[in-house]
Amino acid sequence: MTKIRLFAASILFFFTLSLFSQEQQDVGGLMEIIIKAKSEKFKESVNFKKAQIFFRQSNWDSTLVYSMKEISDAKNKELIDYCHYFRGISFKEKKLFNESKKELNEISNNFQFFYKVKMKLGEITLAQNEFQNALQYFEEIEKLPNVSNYDFKKSTVLHNIGLCYLHLDKFNKAEEYLFKGAKLQEIEKDTLLLIGSYMDIANLYYNQYKDNLAIPYFEKGYQLSKKVKSFGIKKTAAMNMAVVEENRKNFPLALTYRKEYEKWKDSLNDQNKVWAIAELEKKFAIKQKQKEVNVLEAENKVKVAERNGLLFSSVLLLILFGTGVYYYRQKIRNNKIILAQKDELDKLNATKDKLFSIVSHDLRSSVNALKTSNSKLIENLETKNYTELDTQLHNNSAIANGAYNLLDNLLNWALLQTKQTYFSQESLHLATIVKHVEYNYNPLMINRNISFENRVSTTDYVFADMDSLKIIIRNILDNAIKFTKDNGKISIYTRDSDDDFCYLVIEDTGLGMSASTQEELLKKTALLSKKKNDDTIGTGLGMQLCKSMIYKNGGRLEIESEENVGTKIIIVLQKFKNHG
Amino acid sequence: MDNINVLIIEDTPAESDALVKVLTANNYNIVGIAPTYNEALTLFYNNAIDVVVIDVFLDGKPDGVTFAETINIVPNGLKPFVFLTSSKDRQIFERAKLTKPFSFLLKPFNELEILYALEMAVEKFYGQTNVFVSEEQDTVISDDYLFIKKNKSLKKVRIGDIVYIEVEDRYCNIITEVEKFVILISLTKIIQFLDPNKFSQTHRNYIVNLSKIEEIVVNDNLVVLKGNHKVVLSDKYKDFVKKFRILR
């Protein structure tokens, strides 16, 4: 019974020892170099980088977290394999063997360190006492060619196989493998493992009740254990010796070993306690750090939010400012336009007022002249001075005519401005129209002894609105008569032309006008001016009306004049061609 | 030659008096003066009217336009007309314009203008524009009458009264049973407008009224017409004889 118990203890101790040494070698070896290289190669994968750093630092929890992240993100098969490997090892270290197995089984066959996976699986199954399975894994590894190329010791594999056989009670095989392992370890001078090997060999013999063979190995192991620092090994070796001495009934010696065993056990416990405290402190420190990190993260978040808010609000302000400036400028521009329009309107209104005053003045003087003339007429009638009557009546009629013309122009002007006139251009026989207008002025011209000549070509047809054309000719003719002295001459004729226009010339032998006056008259917005002719105050309305109407008919006005010689007013009108 | 019959539709006596004075002075025959729409219609349909002078506004209402619209509806009864108005109201113009043919006269107008307006109305109505103002011609041809400009006024001659027409250059001698006169019109135009069933050319210079033929002397190349007018029948136009049923 005791033997069995001792044996079990020995194996357990041996295991922890064996796995521990294996890990140390792992991380420092070939794999680390390759992992580092991979992390360099896949720089952009932050999670992998972190995972491998934590892995190398044996920080298993963090490794698990980051490798999980990497698995969920990464597309690269190789990286995923690495991550599974990290997770497998991490779980194994945390004694979660089933999880560990699962992860390791996820790894694809192409994985560079696939043999390591096998090794780990073997170790796990061994730890779970599934010796048959473990044996399979280890034998697979042993069969690998050139085992020495790999970064683990063949001796360990041999040793593990031996252990499997030992547990399966195949002592012969066990003996063979254990010795092979021990021999290799002796060559490699790996004391720690060698002690384990010796102990296991001793156990092997002891289990077979070959005490004589066993005891020397126990002693060898014990002697070697004195040279190493591991309390666990020292403790196991001492315990084994104690059990051996007890069985040999050498109780004092057994007691000594027991005491030594207790001593090592205490030391181990102390060490464990120290470790545990250190672990606690470490955890505490980590927590503290984590808290700090959290605080910093929160601060960062707040800062980012603040910065974003600031940026957003500043952009908003800028836009607001921009639109403000835009509308302000728009407003200024509008104001300018409005101001300009106002000025123009003011000017126009002033012109209108002036026109108003001149027209009323004109009318007033006309009516006043009529009034005085009429009273004279009555006087003459009473005195029966009939000879005067005729001239006075003619005079009256002339005044009334002038007033009528003025009013007519005023009406036409108003209608034109308000666009109320009926306007319809058609083919007109120019000579006839001129005759119609001239007809009204014949008596006046005869009265003033003005010779009149109408030489308008009877073949000329113009394209114009009849009423407006009559108004134009009437005004020009009226002006011509007004500015022509008695016994003067007025002629109306058409000039020959090749273009599409008809040139109607109204020529008088009147006052004529200066170039500046001509220019003034032809200006589009000529202001009303007092005429040079002293006693005739004109409004200039007639001329304005003529120009507007000529333009409306698609024609234009030209003036040829020489002071004190005469004036030619030329009305240029569109010809009408398609007459039948 | 007869005078032109004019119907005046005008509600202001002063205006109508002036019109009557001017028109009678120029040998127009005033058929009547209608101051209202209804009277105008009565006068219009009970008399032979050649031209109507219409004041747009009768008693402040645009009944003149209404009258024109009314006579426009009956196509055969339609006659040339002239609108008189002192208003430059665009709306009225637009409405009146729809009643074609269309001639407008703005008050105040002088003698020349009203005569011209009447001539224009006749010209436009019979679709022969620029006749009376030109120097080449002076006659407008309707179905029943020739309207001829004599001096300042317009005259008419019933086409049925014409015995024959003699062409001389740009002139045509019109010979009726009672008179003879010269009009300015081209041969082509007169042939174009005269009814070929009633008139026929017998010679390069002669057009005869078929109903006025008394005798055709083929051997002498002569056509004897009413009033003992004799017209030459040239070989080129002898075919016209075929129009008559020849008794053998």
Side-chain angles (χ1 to χ4, degrees), chain A residues 79-257:
Chain A
L79 286 188
I80 290 175
D81 279 347
Y82 274 107
C83 288
H84 281 303
Y85 182 73
F86 293 163
R87 288 175 71 76
I89 302 301
S90 302
F91 280 127
K92 180 162 167 268
E93 288 302 317
K94 294 181 77 72
K95 309 285 179 215
L96 298 166
F97 292 124
N98 285 330
E99 292 294 324
S100 175
K101 258 174 151 176
K102 234 181 20 250
E103 291 293 339
L104 290 172
N105 282 326
E106 292 277 337
I107 298 167
S108 64
N109 291 345
N110 303 330
F111 186 50
Q112 193 179 356
F113 297 99
F114 195 64
Y115 62 92
K116 259 186 159 58
V117 176
K118 291 276 176 204
M119 185 84 175
K120 293 299 165 192
L121 280 169
E123 281 167 8
I124 290 164
T125 40
L126 192 58
Q128 288 179 320
N129 295 339
E130 294 170 11
F131 302 114
Q132 200 66 47
N133 288 341
L135 192 61
Q136 267 177 24
Y137 284 122
F138 288 129
E139 278 176 344
E140 266 178 56
I141 295 162
E142 199 211 351
K143 276 173 202 159
L144 286 169
N146 291 328
V147 174
S148 55
N149 286 354
Y150 300 106
D151 54 347
F152 66 89
K153 290 182 179 166
K154 192 173 181 183
S155 59
T156 318
V157 180
L158 293 175
H159 183 85
N160 282 347
I161 294 171
L163 274 181
C164 289
Y165 281 127
L166 178 63
H167 285 287
L168 293 167
D169 290 339
K170 290 181 180 170
F171 296 116
N172 290 340
K173 284 239 174 176
E175 195 179 352
E176 184 192 334
Y177 278 103
L178 284 176
F179 270 111
K180 270 190 194 170
K183 233 181 228 165
L184 274 175
Q185 281 158 0
E186 272 168 19
I187 296 165
E188 288 160 5
K189 291 185 179 162
D190 189 336
T191 323
L192 276 175
L193 290 179
L194 197 58
I195 298 167
S197 287
Y198 284 155
M199 299 266 218
D200 286 333
I201 292 166
N203 270 324
L204 175 76
Y205 289 131
Y206 216 69
N207 264 11
Q208 291 174 299
Y209 302 99
K210 294 177 181 172
D211 289 9
N212 293 338
L213 285 174
I215 289 167
Y217 281 105
F218 278 129
E219 279 176 343
K220 258 190 188 174
Y222 176 69
Q223 291 305 325
L224 276 174
S225 78
K226 281 183 179 174
K227 291 179 189 168
V228 298
K229 285 174 184 170
S230 170
F231 295 125
I233 288 174
K234 283 179 194 255
K235 190 188 82 178
T236 315
M239 182 63 181
N240 283 347
M241 285 309 291
V243 173
V244 168
E245 289 308 325
E246 253 178 56
N247 284 356
R248 281 202 282 187
K249 315 282 185 213
N250 195 347
F251 294 115
L253 208 57
L255 199 60
T256 328
Y257 284 126

Side-chain angles (χ1 to χ4, degrees), chain B residues 83-102:
Chain B
F83 279 120
L84 291 184
T85 181
S86 55
S87 153
K88 287 193 170 180
D89 190 332
R90 182 194 269 269
Q91 279 183 340
I92 284 302
F93 269 85
E94 294 294 346
R95 193 180 149 195
K97 206 175 140 187
L98 297 174
T99 63
K100 286 192 169 178
F102 166 80

